[in-house]
Amino acid sequence: MQFDKQINNQGAAALQKYIEKTMAKQEDVFKTIIAHAKEYGFVFQSSEIYDGLSAVYDYGQNGVELKNNIKRYWWEAMTMLHDNIVGIDSAIFMHPTIWKASGHVDAFNDPLIDNRDSKKRYRADVLIEDELAKFDDKINKEVAKAAKRFGEAFDEAQFRATNARVLENQKKRDELHERFAKAMNDNNLDELKQIILDYEIVDPISGTRNWTDVRQFNLMFKTEMGSTADGAMNVYLRPETAQGIFVNYLNVQKTGRMRLPFGIAQIGKAFRNEIVARQFIFRMREFEQMEMQFFVRPGEELKWFETWKQTRIKWHKALGLGDEKYRFHDHDKLAHYANAATDIEFQMPFGFKEVEGIHSRTNFDLSQHEKFSGKKIQYFDPELNESYVPYVIETSIGVDRMFLSVFCSCYEDQDLGNGDRRVVLHFPAPIAPVKCAVLPLVKKDGLPEKAREIQHRLRFDFTCAYDEKDSIGKRYRRQDAVGTPYCITVDHQTLEDNTVTLRHRDTMEQTRVNADDLEKILHDEVSLNSLLKKLV
Ligand code: ATP
């Protein structure tokens, strides 16, 4: 008995070590991915030569192509595949009363807490969420340990339902979760602080519990419009693109003669003075959103909420990054105007995180604008022969978070055997920044001229690179590192029979094809159509 326990303890210690090592490794992988994004022209720190501006980033020559392709995939899926969705592009500056009506002036706040020793500021809700995640980790470790011990005979559901340690941790987690959700719902800042004290949550930097009270902090950036002599007006940088859609609802409905249900889509910048800005481009102060507001008859909103959940998850999964990397996370805390809300979460190197929100916002926004503007914002429903304020389902996705999820999941440091390695970005071909690269095998004998001729033809259809420097092997690696799905090599045989070598990025397989067929071969693989067709 004693001996068994010792073995189990040793096993647990080894497992603990293994888990810690895995987590540290994940952090290292993330750091490597960030370095790769910089080295290959995807993402740069903003104002880098001035030591950077915190939580603001620039996209480089490859990053902007990937980002534009993601936006195009979303835009075309929304506006081209739905007869009843149209797009707009509203201004970033809007009348300040809009933000009063939307509730952002009074309630777009984060609960903040400071640690007096480290002088660092934290979001109280994030500290508590991290504490909740610790209980999840403890439970998962128990499960992983048991799975290893029992092997194939392991019944996870039964273990979770009966193991004393798992049940105890689950109970503690549920208690904390209930208290936390209630405090957030009641906007009870004292209770948030009390939870932090009761659970002995320490500052990750100073390690102390010397906390200030929790205070609310508004996330909107404020600036002035017009000169002071004219009596400048305070305006905000929009914290979401959605309000630009709501205030244009009537314009679009009337000029487009739109009938319910219909949607308005928009892509644009949004700004939030985030306190805890971390994890690279996951949480930025200036970012981009792709939002669609879908206007429906009152009472039909929950049906449409379900429909949009399925439509959006299909859009994500069509990219082929792995179905298991997505999950829905229904909100515990509903905004007072919402009657359903869920997040689509993606498995980032630092855990499952929100990429997109889908919200049933009732008729809150339009009604508020009706109230504050004094203008009637109603829809006359010819079938019901009555007027009403439409209800709204919103789908809201961050371009930058989408970029991050694609980038992280496509990155691979691949062992090719015999001590050979390559870093490859397995981007889905339709959104890859560069679709193909034309490479003359050598820089003489007329090969560069022939290669240029092919590239000049292909560039009308695809982003097409040309590279003649270094050995062909090095050039393949360079294209792998930016995720180019195809390399086209021109050699001496090309001059004789017009065939080229087509190298596939993922398999590194090479096939001989006629140069005249390249447009057709590539088109089927790299056009957005191949993705869009999976959605209908
Ligand atoms: P979080 O809880 O992570 O702060 P949120 O729930 O406030 O996000 P929403 O207001 O629903 O986010 O915004 C919709 C989408 O916009 C998010 O799913 C996310 O992809 C993106 N987004 C929001 N804030 C940021 C940010 N600071 N940086 C980058 N993307 C963001």
Side-chain angles (χ1 to χ4, degrees):
M1 197 62 192
Q2 200 57 22
F3 182 63
D4 275 356
K5 201 167 169 201
Q6 198 183 343
I7 288 180
N8 278 342
N9 282 343
Q10 278 173 357
L15 188 76
Q16 175 69 22
K17 245 192 176 155
Y18 168 77
I19 289 167
E20 277 166 14
K21 245 174 113 179
T22 310
M23 281 169 72
K25 212 169 146 198
Q26 274 172 352
E27 235 168 73
D28 285 349
V29 169
F30 191 44
K31 278 191 195 146
T32 314
I33 291 175
I34 295 173
H36 189 84
K38 181 181 172 192
E39 192 182 342
Y40 286 89
F42 285 90
V43 183
F44 306 126
Q45 173 74 62
S46 157
S47 323
E48 197 185 332
I49 58 170
Y50 289 94
D51 294 335
L53 185 64
S54 168
V56 186
Y57 291 90
D58 298 336
Y59 287 85
Q61 65 278 19
N62 286 314
V64 68
E65 296 290 344
L66 175 59
K67 197 177 179 214
N68 283 343
N69 291 341
I70 290 172
K71 289 196 275 188
R72 218 152 54 81
Y73 174 40
W74 184 88
W75 187 258
E76 295 190 5
M78 281 294 176
T79 63
M80 285 165 61
L81 298 189
H82 296 96
D83 296 340
N84 58 353
I85 298 181
V86 292
I88 62 163
D89 183 19
S90 70
I92 288 173
F93 288 130
M94 290 193 267
H95 195 286
T97 311
I98 288 173
W99 303 111
K100 193 83 191 142
S102 67
H104 283 83
V105 171
D106 296 322
F108 193 52
N109 299 320
D110 273 346
L112 292 189
I113 190 164
D114 292 85
N115 183 275
R116 292 196 185 91
D117 298 320
S118 70
K119 309 268 183 285
K120 288 277 172 206
R121 182 162 286 179
Y122 298 91
R123 268 173 61 176
D125 55 331
V126 172
L127 287 177
I128 299 173
E129 274 167 11
D130 288 350
E131 191 66 18
L132 278 168
K134 280 188 198 159
F135 284 116
D136 290 333
D137 277 354
K138 278 186 194 159
I139 295 169
N140 291 338
K141 273 178 201 166
E142 289 293 341
V143 173
K145 207 161 71 181
K148 204 171 171 204
R149 191 161 4 115
F150 293 117
E152 294 222 327
F154 183 58
D155 179 341
E156 185 176 329
Q158 195 196 358
F159 182 77
R160 281 182 185 270
T162 53
N163 179 273
R165 272 194 297 268
V166 168
L167 289 174
E168 192 191 321
N169 278 313
Q170 188 64 46
K171 187 163 167 265
K172 284 187 191 160
R173 186 203 185 279
D174 291 345
E175 279 166 9
L176 172 58
H177 186 252
E178 201 177 314
R179 252 183 99 178
F180 172 51
K182 185 164 176 355
M184 290 296 282
N185 270 325
D186 297 347
N187 223 347
N188 187 341
L189 302 183
D190 292 341
E191 172 67 353
L192 284 178
K193 174 159 184 197
Q194 201 51 51
I195 294 174
I196 289 172
L197 296 179
D198 290 351
Y199 282 80
E200 303 186 343
I201 296 175
V202 295
D203 177 348
I205 293 172
S206 65
T208 70
R209 281 179 261 150
N210 195 2
W211 296 111
T212 62
D213 286 343
V214 178
R215 286 164 300 124
Q216 292 289 23
F217 176 84
N218 194 287
L219 297 180
M220 282 198 294
F221 285 100
K222 204 193 257 184
T223 186
E224 290 185 349
M225 184 177 267
S227 73
T228 342
D230 298 343
M233 173 157 75
N234 277 331
V235 291
Y236 300 97
L237 295 185
R238 66 180 178 200
E240 61 175 30
T241 57
Q243 297 303 324
I245 295 180
F246 291 127
V247 297
N248 276 298
Y249 161 79
L250 274 185
N251 286 336
V252 175
Q253 194 271 320
K254 290 209 153 52
T255 57
R257 293 183 296 120
M258 310 297 287
R259 300 181 71 160
L260 251 52
F262 77 91
I264 304 178
Q266 165 157 242
I267 299 179
K269 289 270 182 152
F271 305 82
R272 295 182 188 179
N273 197 3
E274 298 278 5
I275 300 315
V276 188
R278 56 179 181 182
Q279 280 143 350
F280 193 36
I281 55 172
F282 181 78
R283 192 174 296 286
M284 301 153 88
R285 298 203 164 105
E286 173 180 341
F287 58 100
E288 211 164 354
Q289 288 185 314
M290 307 190 278
E291 296 200 297
M292 195 279 299
Q293 311 293 327
F294 198 71
F295 302 95
V296 303
R297 222 180 238 176
E300 294 188 353
E301 71 277 10
L302 292 180
K303 180 189 88 184
W304 283 110
F305 175 72
E306 275 311 313
T307 305
W308 277 108
K309 267 176 82 168
Q310 298 318 320
T311 307
R312 293 303 305 144
I313 197 81
K314 200 168 170 189
W315 181 90
H316 284 276
K317 289 185 176 172
L319 282 169
L321 303 178
D323 288 4
E324 72 291 350
K325 294 197 172 120
Y326 299 91
R327 71 179 189 197
F328 283 114
H329 173 244
D330 295 334
H331 285 205
D332 295 318
K333 185 197 173 203
L334 284 180
H336 60 280
Y337 51 80
N339 61 5
T342 195
D343 294 336
I344 294 178
E345 294 186 338
F346 186 84
Q347 194 173 20
M348 303 278 190
F350 41 90
F352 271 96
K353 296 287 170 194
E354 171 184 345
V355 173
E356 171 159 6
I358 302 169
H359 312 120
S360 172
R361 294 177 78 125
T362 66
N363 60 0
F364 173 79
D365 301 270
L366 291 183
S367 299
Q368 284 292 98
H369 290 307
E370 202 171 43
K371 197 164 113 195
F372 278 74
S373 68
K375 308 268 177 353
K376 214 167 163 205
I377 307 182
Q378 304 230 334
Y379 174 76
F380 176 73
D381 191 324
E383 280 169 39
L384 300 181
N385 200 26
E386 65 177 80
S387 293
Y388 50 77
V389 180
Y391 272 47
V392 173
I393 304 301
E394 161 182 87
T395 71
S396 173
I397 168 171
V399 180
D400 313 271
R401 284 194 193 173
M402 188 62 207
F403 182 109
L404 187 61
S405 59
V406 170
F407 200 85
C408 291
S409 61
C410 291
Y411 176 93
E412 188 189 8
D413 181 356
Q414 200 177 23
D415 185 351
L416 299 173
N418 299 327
D420 197 11
R421 301 191 79 83
R422 68 167 181 163
V423 171
V424 53
L425 293 171
H426 298 282
F427 292 137
I431 60 166
V434 181
K435 304 296 190 234
C436 57
V438 184
L439 319 170
L441 187 62
V442 289
K443 233 195 299 185
K444 55 182 185 183
D445 305 336
L447 299 190
E449 290 76 8
K450 180 70 185 166
R452 276 287 185 203
E453 187 191 308
I454 294 174
Q455 186 229 354
H456 286 172
R457 216 182 69 212
L458 293 178
R459 68 185 174 178
F460 287 104
D461 294 302
F462 318 105
T463 39
C464 183
Y466 174 87
D467 190 3
E468 58 178 26
K469 202 167 166 284
D470 297 323
S471 72
I472 193 75
K474 270 195 184 156
R475 282 181 273 164
Y476 284 153
R477 291 288 178 276
R478 271 205 294 269
Q479 295 302 327
D480 289 342
V482 296
T484 307
Y486 293 101
C487 285
I488 297 157
T489 308
V490 171
D491 55 20
H492 293 93
Q493 195 184 328
T494 313
L495 302 180
E496 285 164 26
D497 63 7
N498 200 37
T499 61
V500 291
T501 303
L502 188 64
R503 175 188 180 267
H504 301 246
R505 175 196 64 201
D506 296 341
T507 57
M508 292 185 286
E509 206 188 337
Q510 304 192 6
T511 45
R512 198 86 202 168
V513 303
N514 193 304
D516 291 342
D517 295 337
L518 283 168
E519 277 93 338
K520 190 182 167 336
I521 299 170
L522 293 185
H523 183 269
D524 291 347
E525 300 295 323
V526 309
S527 86
L528 256 193
N529 290 0
S530 60
L531 267 183
L532 294 171
K533 281 186 181 147
K534 291 188 192 167
L535 304 180
V536 289

